[in-house]
Amino acid sequence: MATDTKTALLNSAERAARTRGFDGFSYADLSADVGIRKASIHHHFPTKAALSVALMERYYDDLKAVCDQIDVSHKTGGARLTALIDRYRSALEGGKSLCLCVSFSTSRESLPEEVIAQIGRFREMIIAWTETVFAAGQTDGSIAHVANPAVEAAAALPLLEGAQLAARVEENPALFDSAVQILTQRL
Amino acid sequence: MATDTKTALLNSAERAARTRGFDGFSYADLSADVGIRKASIHHHFPTKAALSVALMERYYDDLKAVCDQIDVSHKTGGARLTALIDRYRSALEGGKSLCLCVSFSTSRESLPEEVIAQIGRFREMIIAWTETVFAAGQTDGSIAHVANPAVEAAAALPLLEGAQLAARVEENPALFDSAVQILTQRL
DNA sequence: AAATGCCTACCTAGTAGTAGGACGATTTCT
DNA sequence: AGAAATCGTCCTACTACTAGGTAGGCATTT
């Protein structure tokens, strides 16, 4: 089916972008991975810029769904924060991968303006959600020492991202754990 | 003089790497910037990998000197932490640049193993120094709520780096400020 | 004489993207 | 219903360009 190929391309591209960066994979790589000729990829995604937009769009929707799901399955602010941290931790995949947002942030140069805007919206969405998490944790007492949920949220995302970057550069997930200990020790 | 050309190349390469990433500049770019032919660059740095090693080596020494200087010119832990934050903030250059360590961390794929090791040493050095800063702030009371200097230090560097990344992707230094507010509000 | 620093000219490999055709499925027209 | 045209998907073959790197020569300095 048509949709399958397109999804397979997105899956392959996302994995490649997260492990090797947006400039770290080519249409030739996707071609080999998905099993369709290089030129045929252009049928689904005319340019690499268009591919990047599609990737970021899907990623935004995915993460929004993740946050919604966490709200449903975890009741306290502390449990929700833990779930978010776990999500970023598992995205590391043993120190070989990043979340797409971090990966794209590092490839700014090669991305169209539209993706930059998408990244901005993505970050706002995550930070806004995180603020509700800290506010809940403040209210229900599941996160210690919350003075200002907005300040906490504005720091939490960059911390998670910086921790991912540090852990991947040395392929050592323990660096992620030690970086986010400042959060986990309060739970 | 010979040294001048070499230094000019390093300067140009560092600026390029910090603004456009290690994969974002070529020997052709350096050639145009420094005013010597592309092939001549290979005389000074046989491979781009060799250039990356030289860049990171110089950067390590630079930052070590910066930390030493901060220790001399700033007496309290709080003042030293502020100085470090300011350093990372000014490295942003209006949201167009990163510190070399972050930039290189994002280009892991393209860098030789030696540079990865250098990055590890660099991060250890900064974190160790930052721990002394938090310990001092704890003792002299200039940083509030320091429970564990080691945990604080392990988080501070990733936070600064993540904050830089976020600020650059949208070319908005205010994002850096809002991310590090969790630190500055304690000073 | 030797080394340094730089040059012109070139190579190989890889990049995104294009042109144009094959082929099967679906839709449309008679 | 059957023929014809259209569309979606994929193909081979190619273009234009950029990348890092090499070979070999020519001055100037030591």
Side-chain angles (χ1 to χ4, degrees), chain A residues 14-21 88-100 102-103 163-174 176, chain B residues 105-106 108-109 113:
Chain A
E14 178 172 333
R15 168 144 263 99
R18 286 178 42 198
T19 56
R20 310 197 296 274
Y88 272 79
R89 156 87 208 210
S90 66
L92 265 178
E93 288 177 41
K96 299 204 174 298
S97 176
L98 298 169
C99 79
L100 192 64
V102 174
S103 172
Q164 271 198 351
L165 206 55
R168 200 207 38 164
V169 86
E170 302 195 56
E171 285 192 15
N172 181 6
F176 179 90
Chain B
S105 295
T106 70
R108 189 183 199 291
E109 276 274 305
E113 273 306 313

mmCIF file of all heavy atoms in Angstrom, chain A residues 14-21 88-100 102-103 163-174 176, chain B residues 105-106 108-109 113:
data_model
loop_
_atom_site.group_PDB
_atom_site.id
_atom_site.type_symbol
_atom_site.label_atom_id
_atom_site.label_comp_id
_atom_site.label_asym_id
_atom_site.label_seq_id
_atom_site.Cartn_x
_atom_site.Cartn_y
_atom_site.Cartn_z
ATOM 1 N N GLU A 14 13.112 9.032 10.775
ATOM 2 C CA GLU A 14 13.128 9.481 12.175
ATOM 3 C C GLU A 14 14.240 8.788 12.954
ATOM 4 O O GLU A 14 15.008 9.432 13.670
ATOM 5 C CB GLU A 14 11.784 9.213 12.851
ATOM 6 C CG GLU A 14 11.811 9.645 14.317
ATOM 7 C CD GLU A 14 10.450 9.576 15.005
ATOM 8 O OE1 GLU A 14 9.419 9.703 14.316
ATOM 9 O OE2 GLU A 14 10.439 9.398 16.241
ATOM 10 N N ARG A 15 14.328 7.494 12.754
ATOM 11 C CA ARG A 15 15.387 6.746 13.436
ATOM 12 C C ARG A 15 16.768 7.282 13.028
ATOM 13 O O ARG A 15 17.652 7.496 13.866
ATOM 14 C CB ARG A 15 15.251 5.252 13.097
ATOM 15 C CG ARG A 15 16.429 4.402 13.490
ATOM 16 C CD ARG A 15 16.019 3.010 13.973
ATOM 17 N NE ARG A 15 15.935 2.931 15.412
ATOM 18 C CZ ARG A 15 14.816 3.007 16.139
ATOM 19 N NH1 ARG A 15 13.659 3.194 15.548
ATOM 20 N NH2 ARG A 15 14.855 2.922 17.449
ATOM 21 N N ALA A 16 16.937 7.497 11.732
ATOM 22 C CA ALA A 16 18.224 7.993 11.227
ATOM 23 C C ALA A 16 18.531 9.377 11.785
ATOM 24 O O ALA A 16 19.651 9.646 12.227
ATOM 25 C CB ALA A 16 18.213 8.023 9.700
ATOM 26 N N ALA A 17 17.516 10.253 11.779
ATOM 27 C CA ALA A 17 17.734 11.611 12.267
ATOM 28 C C ALA A 17 18.083 11.603 13.748
ATOM 29 O O ALA A 17 18.938 12.371 14.195
ATOM 30 C CB ALA A 17 16.479 12.463 12.028
ATOM 31 N N ARG A 18 17.439 10.737 14.489
ATOM 32 C CA ARG A 18 17.672 10.730 15.928
ATOM 33 C C ARG A 18 19.020 10.122 16.291
ATOM 34 O O ARG A 18 19.602 10.442 17.336
ATOM 35 C CB ARG A 18 16.535 9.997 16.644
ATOM 36 C CG ARG A 18 15.255 10.840 16.678
ATOM 37 C CD ARG A 18 14.100 10.111 17.341
ATOM 38 N NE ARG A 18 14.529 9.397 18.535
ATOM 39 C CZ ARG A 18 13.824 8.430 19.104
ATOM 40 N NH1 ARG A 18 12.666 8.046 18.575
ATOM 41 N NH2 ARG A 18 14.272 7.837 20.184
ATOM 42 N N THR A 19 19.511 9.221 15.477
ATOM 43 C CA THR A 19 20.803 8.619 15.804
ATOM 44 C C THR A 19 21.980 9.315 15.123
ATOM 45 O O THR A 19 23.057 9.403 15.682
ATOM 46 C CB THR A 19 20.844 7.127 15.418
ATOM 47 O OG1 THR A 19 20.530 6.992 14.027
ATOM 48 C CG2 THR A 19 19.840 6.315 16.215
ATOM 49 N N ARG A 20 21.744 9.831 13.913
ATOM 50 C CA ARG A 20 22.871 10.383 13.173
ATOM 51 C C ARG A 20 22.698 11.845 12.803
ATOM 52 O O ARG A 20 23.589 12.440 12.196
ATOM 53 C CB ARG A 20 23.099 9.566 11.891
ATOM 54 C CG ARG A 20 23.158 8.051 12.139
ATOM 55 C CD ARG A 20 23.780 7.298 10.988
ATOM 56 N NE ARG A 20 23.017 7.401 9.759
ATOM 57 C CZ ARG A 20 21.997 6.607 9.419
ATOM 58 N NH1 ARG A 20 21.618 5.633 10.240
ATOM 59 N NH2 ARG A 20 21.365 6.751 8.280
ATOM 60 N N GLY A 21 21.556 12.433 13.165
ATOM 61 C CA GLY A 21 21.313 13.833 12.848
ATOM 62 C C GLY A 21 20.668 13.991 11.484
ATOM 63 O O GLY A 21 20.720 13.095 10.649
ATOM 64 N N TYR A 88 12.158 10.570 28.179
ATOM 65 C CA TYR A 88 13.394 11.124 27.622
ATOM 66 C C TYR A 88 14.563 10.175 27.835
ATOM 67 O O TYR A 88 15.449 10.070 26.992
ATOM 68 C CB TYR A 88 13.674 12.511 28.225
ATOM 69 C CG TYR A 88 13.012 13.618 27.433
ATOM 70 C CD1 TYR A 88 11.655 13.890 27.592
ATOM 71 C CD2 TYR A 88 13.716 14.364 26.497
ATOM 72 C CE1 TYR A 88 11.026 14.879 26.854
ATOM 73 C CE2 TYR A 88 13.091 15.356 25.747
ATOM 74 C CZ TYR A 88 11.746 15.611 25.931
ATOM 75 O OH TYR A 88 11.133 16.588 25.175
ATOM 76 N N ARG A 89 14.518 9.487 28.937
ATOM 77 C CA ARG A 89 15.577 8.524 29.216
ATOM 78 C C ARG A 89 15.531 7.365 28.215
ATOM 79 O O ARG A 89 16.556 6.913 27.714
ATOM 80 C CB ARG A 89 15.428 8.016 30.651
ATOM 81 C CG ARG A 89 16.030 6.678 30.970
ATOM 82 C CD ARG A 89 17.489 6.781 31.373
ATOM 83 N NE ARG A 89 18.171 5.538 31.041
ATOM 84 C CZ ARG A 89 19.207 5.027 31.676
ATOM 85 N NH1 ARG A 89 19.727 5.663 32.688
ATOM 86 N NH2 ARG A 89 19.756 3.908 31.296
ATOM 87 N N SER A 90 14.344 6.881 27.916
ATOM 88 C CA SER A 90 14.257 5.725 27.015
ATOM 89 C C SER A 90 14.490 6.133 25.567
ATOM 90 O O SER A 90 14.933 5.322 24.747
ATOM 91 C CB SER A 90 12.915 5.010 27.179
ATOM 92 O OG SER A 90 11.863 5.834 26.761
ATOM 93 N N ALA A 91 14.232 7.411 25.250
ATOM 94 C CA ALA A 91 14.525 7.893 23.898
ATOM 95 C C ALA A 91 16.019 7.838 23.607
ATOM 96 O O ALA A 91 16.443 7.828 22.448
ATOM 97 C CB ALA A 91 14.011 9.319 23.720
ATOM 98 N N LEU A 92 16.815 7.786 24.670
ATOM 99 C CA LEU A 92 18.264 7.700 24.525
ATOM 100 C C LEU A 92 18.698 6.397 23.854
ATOM 101 O O LEU A 92 19.715 6.343 23.169
ATOM 102 C CB LEU A 92 18.937 7.764 25.891
ATOM 103 C CG LEU A 92 19.441 9.092 26.397
ATOM 104 C CD1 LEU A 92 20.030 8.917 27.781
ATOM 105 C CD2 LEU A 92 20.483 9.679 25.456
ATOM 106 N N GLU A 93 17.934 5.357 24.132
ATOM 107 C CA GLU A 93 18.241 4.038 23.596
ATOM 108 C C GLU A 93 19.713 3.659 23.786
ATOM 109 O O GLU A 93 20.443 3.425 22.822
ATOM 110 C CB GLU A 93 17.847 3.960 22.127
ATOM 111 C CG GLU A 93 16.328 3.924 21.972
ATOM 112 C CD GLU A 93 15.876 3.921 20.521
ATOM 113 O OE1 GLU A 93 16.513 3.231 19.730
ATOM 114 O OE2 GLU A 93 14.886 4.614 20.220
ATOM 115 N N GLY A 94 20.087 3.660 25.034
ATOM 116 C CA GLY A 94 21.444 3.242 25.372
ATOM 117 C C GLY A 94 22.518 4.266 25.028
ATOM 118 O O GLY A 94 23.699 3.946 24.980
ATOM 119 N N GLY A 95 22.111 5.481 24.778
ATOM 120 C CA GLY A 95 23.084 6.524 24.481
ATOM 121 C C GLY A 95 23.358 6.692 23.004
ATOM 122 O O GLY A 95 24.298 7.384 22.612
ATOM 123 N N LYS A 96 22.538 6.075 22.189
ATOM 124 C CA LYS A 96 22.767 6.131 20.751
ATOM 125 C C LYS A 96 21.806 7.061 20.024
ATOM 126 O O LYS A 96 21.963 7.349 18.845
ATOM 127 C CB LYS A 96 22.648 4.732 20.135
ATOM 128 C CG LYS A 96 23.656 3.730 20.684
ATOM 129 C CD LYS A 96 23.898 2.601 19.706
ATOM 130 C CE LYS A 96 25.010 1.672 20.179
ATOM 131 N NZ LYS A 96 26.319 2.349 20.312
ATOM 132 N N SER A 97 20.815 7.546 20.742
ATOM 133 C CA SER A 97 19.737 8.276 20.082
ATOM 134 C C SER A 97 19.349 9.516 20.884
ATOM 135 O O SER A 97 19.639 9.627 22.074
ATOM 136 C CB SER A 97 18.539 7.333 19.938
ATOM 137 O OG SER A 97 17.436 7.987 19.391
ATOM 138 N N LEU A 98 18.699 10.450 20.226
ATOM 139 C CA LEU A 98 18.162 11.632 20.884
ATOM 140 C C LEU A 98 16.679 11.709 20.577
ATOM 141 O O LEU A 98 16.189 10.996 19.708
ATOM 142 C CB LEU A 98 18.836 12.899 20.339
ATOM 143 C CG LEU A 98 20.333 13.044 20.549
ATOM 144 C CD1 LEU A 98 20.867 14.211 19.728
ATOM 145 C CD2 LEU A 98 20.637 13.259 22.014
ATOM 146 N N CYS A 99 15.977 12.578 21.274
ATOM 147 C CA CYS A 99 14.620 12.829 20.817
ATOM 148 C C CYS A 99 14.727 13.704 19.575
ATOM 149 O O CYS A 99 15.727 14.377 19.342
ATOM 150 C CB CYS A 99 13.765 13.486 21.897
ATOM 151 S SG CYS A 99 14.019 15.234 22.107
ATOM 152 N N LEU A 100 13.689 13.670 18.760
ATOM 153 C CA LEU A 100 13.764 14.352 17.463
ATOM 154 C C LEU A 100 13.944 15.853 17.617
ATOM 155 O O LEU A 100 14.639 16.498 16.820
ATOM 156 C CB LEU A 100 12.503 14.055 16.650
ATOM 157 C CG LEU A 100 12.566 14.448 15.177
ATOM 158 C CD1 LEU A 100 13.613 13.641 14.446
ATOM 159 C CD2 LEU A 100 11.211 14.293 14.505
ATOM 160 N N VAL A 102 15.588 17.552 19.938
ATOM 161 C CA VAL A 102 16.994 17.884 20.194
ATOM 162 C C VAL A 102 17.809 17.702 18.926
ATOM 163 O O VAL A 102 18.622 18.554 18.552
ATOM 164 C CB VAL A 102 17.575 17.000 21.316
ATOM 165 C CG1 VAL A 102 19.066 17.241 21.463
ATOM 166 C CG2 VAL A 102 16.870 17.282 22.627
ATOM 167 N N SER A 103 17.578 16.596 18.264
ATOM 168 C CA SER A 103 18.325 16.326 17.044
ATOM 169 C C SER A 103 18.129 17.432 16.016
ATOM 170 O O SER A 103 19.077 17.910 15.399
ATOM 171 C CB SER A 103 17.886 14.984 16.459
ATOM 172 O OG SER A 103 18.465 14.796 15.193
ATOM 173 N N ALA A 163 20.793 16.915 29.061
ATOM 174 C CA ALA A 163 21.193 15.627 29.635
ATOM 175 C C ALA A 163 21.268 14.563 28.547
ATOM 176 O O ALA A 163 22.196 13.735 28.528
ATOM 177 C CB ALA A 163 20.207 15.204 30.721
ATOM 178 N N GLN A 164 20.322 14.589 27.627
ATOM 179 C CA GLN A 164 20.349 13.646 26.505
ATOM 180 C C GLN A 164 21.605 13.845 25.667
ATOM 181 O O GLN A 164 22.288 12.890 25.294
ATOM 182 C CB GLN A 164 19.118 13.852 25.610
ATOM 183 C CG GLN A 164 17.912 13.051 26.007
ATOM 184 C CD GLN A 164 16.900 12.952 24.877
ATOM 185 O OE1 GLN A 164 17.025 13.609 23.851
ATOM 186 N NE2 GLN A 164 15.893 12.131 25.072
ATOM 187 N N LEU A 165 21.879 15.097 25.384
ATOM 188 C CA LEU A 165 23.029 15.422 24.543
ATOM 189 C C LEU A 165 24.324 14.936 25.186
ATOM 190 O O LEU A 165 25.179 14.329 24.524
ATOM 191 C CB LEU A 165 23.065 16.940 24.350
ATOM 192 C CG LEU A 165 23.738 17.485 23.108
ATOM 193 C CD1 LEU A 165 23.154 16.876 21.857
ATOM 194 C CD2 LEU A 165 23.607 19.006 23.082
ATOM 195 N N ALA A 166 24.434 15.191 26.484
ATOM 196 C CA ALA A 166 25.640 14.786 27.207
ATOM 197 C C ALA A 166 25.772 13.265 27.220
ATOM 198 O O ALA A 166 26.854 12.718 27.019
ATOM 199 C CB ALA A 166 25.598 15.328 28.632
ATOM 200 N N ALA A 167 24.645 12.588 27.440
ATOM 201 C CA ALA A 167 24.677 11.128 27.527
ATOM 202 C C ALA A 167 25.013 10.514 26.175
ATOM 203 O O ALA A 167 25.746 9.534 26.081
ATOM 204 C CB ALA A 167 23.334 10.599 28.030
ATOM 205 N N ARG A 168 24.507 11.122 25.107
ATOM 206 C CA ARG A 168 24.763 10.531 23.810
ATOM 207 C C ARG A 168 26.188 10.746 23.353
ATOM 208 O O ARG A 168 26.792 9.888 22.706
ATOM 209 C CB ARG A 168 23.809 11.056 22.743
ATOM 210 C CG ARG A 168 23.789 10.077 21.578
ATOM 211 C CD ARG A 168 23.458 10.688 20.249
ATOM 212 N NE ARG A 168 24.003 11.995 19.994
ATOM 213 C CZ ARG A 168 24.070 12.532 18.791
ATOM 214 N NH1 ARG A 168 23.625 11.846 17.758
ATOM 215 N NH2 ARG A 168 24.558 13.742 18.627
ATOM 216 N N VAL A 169 26.739 11.892 23.671
ATOM 217 C CA VAL A 169 28.071 12.179 23.161
ATOM 218 C C VAL A 169 29.075 11.156 23.663
ATOM 219 O O VAL A 169 30.038 10.817 22.979
ATOM 220 C CB VAL A 169 28.504 13.627 23.494
ATOM 221 C CG1 VAL A 169 29.120 13.713 24.856
ATOM 222 C CG2 VAL A 169 29.463 14.147 22.433
ATOM 223 N N GLU A 170 28.840 10.643 24.855
ATOM 224 C CA GLU A 170 29.743 9.621 25.368
ATOM 225 C C GLU A 170 29.087 8.246 25.373
ATOM 226 O O GLU A 170 29.624 7.304 25.959
ATOM 227 C CB GLU A 170 30.218 9.994 26.772
ATOM 228 C CG GLU A 170 30.908 11.351 26.788
ATOM 229 C CD GLU A 170 31.694 11.589 28.055
ATOM 230 O OE1 GLU A 170 32.567 10.759 28.364
ATOM 231 O OE2 GLU A 170 31.439 12.607 28.734
ATOM 232 N N GLU A 171 27.925 8.171 24.762
ATOM 233 C CA GLU A 171 27.166 6.914 24.720
ATOM 234 C C GLU A 171 27.070 6.289 26.098
ATOM 235 O O GLU A 171 27.302 5.095 26.277
ATOM 236 C CB GLU A 171 27.817 5.937 23.728
ATOM 237 C CG GLU A 171 27.550 6.324 22.283
ATOM 238 C CD GLU A 171 27.927 5.213 21.296
ATOM 239 O OE1 GLU A 171 28.130 4.069 21.739
ATOM 240 O OE2 GLU A 171 28.015 5.503 20.089
ATOM 241 N N ASN A 172 26.715 7.131 27.038
ATOM 242 C CA ASN A 172 26.659 6.683 28.431
ATOM 243 C C ASN A 172 25.413 7.235 29.125
ATOM 244 O O ASN A 172 25.427 8.357 29.634
ATOM 245 C CB ASN A 172 27.925 7.131 29.148
ATOM 246 C CG ASN A 172 27.946 6.683 30.601
ATOM 247 O OD1 ASN A 172 27.070 5.947 31.043
ATOM 248 N ND2 ASN A 172 28.934 7.142 31.346
ATOM 249 N N PRO A 173 24.347 6.437 29.168
ATOM 250 C CA PRO A 173 23.079 6.889 29.752
ATOM 251 C C PRO A 173 23.211 7.305 31.210
ATOM 252 O O PRO A 173 22.372 8.059 31.711
ATOM 253 C CB PRO A 173 22.172 5.660 29.638
ATOM 254 C CG PRO A 173 22.762 4.850 28.554
ATOM 255 C CD PRO A 173 24.239 5.071 28.629
ATOM 256 N N ALA A 174 24.251 6.845 31.891
ATOM 257 C CA ALA A 174 24.441 7.226 33.295
ATOM 258 C C ALA A 174 24.616 8.738 33.422
ATOM 259 O O ALA A 174 24.260 9.327 34.447
ATOM 260 C CB ALA A 174 25.647 6.507 33.877
ATOM 261 N N PHE A 176 22.991 10.896 31.749
ATOM 262 C CA PHE A 176 21.623 11.425 31.798
ATOM 263 C C PHE A 176 21.086 11.342 33.217
ATOM 264 O O PHE A 176 20.581 12.321 33.770
ATOM 265 C CB PHE A 176 20.727 10.642 30.830
ATOM 266 C CG PHE A 176 19.289 11.080 30.813
ATOM 267 C CD1 PHE A 176 18.854 12.071 29.951
ATOM 268 C CD2 PHE A 176 18.361 10.497 31.672
ATOM 269 C CE1 PHE A 176 17.524 12.484 29.938
ATOM 270 C CE2 PHE A 176 17.026 10.904 31.659
ATOM 271 C CZ PHE A 176 16.606 11.891 30.798
ATOM 272 N N SER B 105 29.157 18.369 20.414
ATOM 273 C CA SER B 105 28.329 17.277 20.931
ATOM 274 C C SER B 105 27.251 16.902 19.933
ATOM 275 O O SER B 105 26.857 15.747 19.824
ATOM 276 C CB SER B 105 27.669 17.686 22.251
ATOM 277 O OG SER B 105 28.641 17.892 23.246
ATOM 278 N N THR B 106 26.777 17.911 19.211
ATOM 279 C CA THR B 106 25.703 17.659 18.272
ATOM 280 C C THR B 106 26.215 17.041 16.974
ATOM 281 O O THR B 106 25.429 16.533 16.187
ATOM 282 C CB THR B 106 24.965 18.967 17.918
ATOM 283 O OG1 THR B 106 25.813 19.785 17.126
ATOM 284 C CG2 THR B 106 24.544 19.705 19.162
ATOM 285 N N ARG B 108 28.525 14.636 16.786
ATOM 286 C CA ARG B 108 29.232 13.435 17.200
ATOM 287 C C ARG B 108 29.699 12.555 16.042
ATOM 288 O O ARG B 108 30.851 12.161 15.959
ATOM 289 C CB ARG B 108 28.309 12.618 18.103
ATOM 290 C CG ARG B 108 29.013 11.485 18.742
ATOM 291 C CD ARG B 108 28.110 10.645 19.578
ATOM 292 N NE ARG B 108 28.927 9.881 20.500
ATOM 293 C CZ ARG B 108 29.727 8.916 20.134
ATOM 294 N NH1 ARG B 108 29.855 8.600 18.875
ATOM 295 N NH2 ARG B 108 30.455 8.265 21.031
ATOM 296 N N GLU B 109 28.769 12.250 15.145
ATOM 297 C CA GLU B 109 29.004 11.386 13.986
ATOM 298 C C GLU B 109 30.260 11.720 13.175
ATOM 299 O O GLU B 109 30.943 10.850 12.691
ATOM 300 C CB GLU B 109 27.836 11.539 13.011
ATOM 301 C CG GLU B 109 26.655 10.694 13.305
ATOM 302 C CD GLU B 109 26.792 9.322 12.683
ATOM 303 O OE1 GLU B 109 26.998 9.249 11.471
ATOM 304 O OE2 GLU B 109 26.703 8.337 13.421
ATOM 305 N N GLU B 113 37.242 9.755 17.289
ATOM 306 C CA GLU B 113 37.147 9.280 18.667
ATOM 307 C C GLU B 113 37.907 10.181 19.632
ATOM 308 O O GLU B 113 37.475 10.391 20.765
ATOM 309 C CB GLU B 113 37.684 7.845 18.768
ATOM 310 C CG GLU B 113 36.642 6.785 18.475
ATOM 311 C CD GLU B 113 35.378 6.921 19.329
ATOM 312 O OE1 GLU B 113 35.511 7.093 20.559
ATOM 313 O OE2 GLU B 113 34.281 6.879 18.757
#
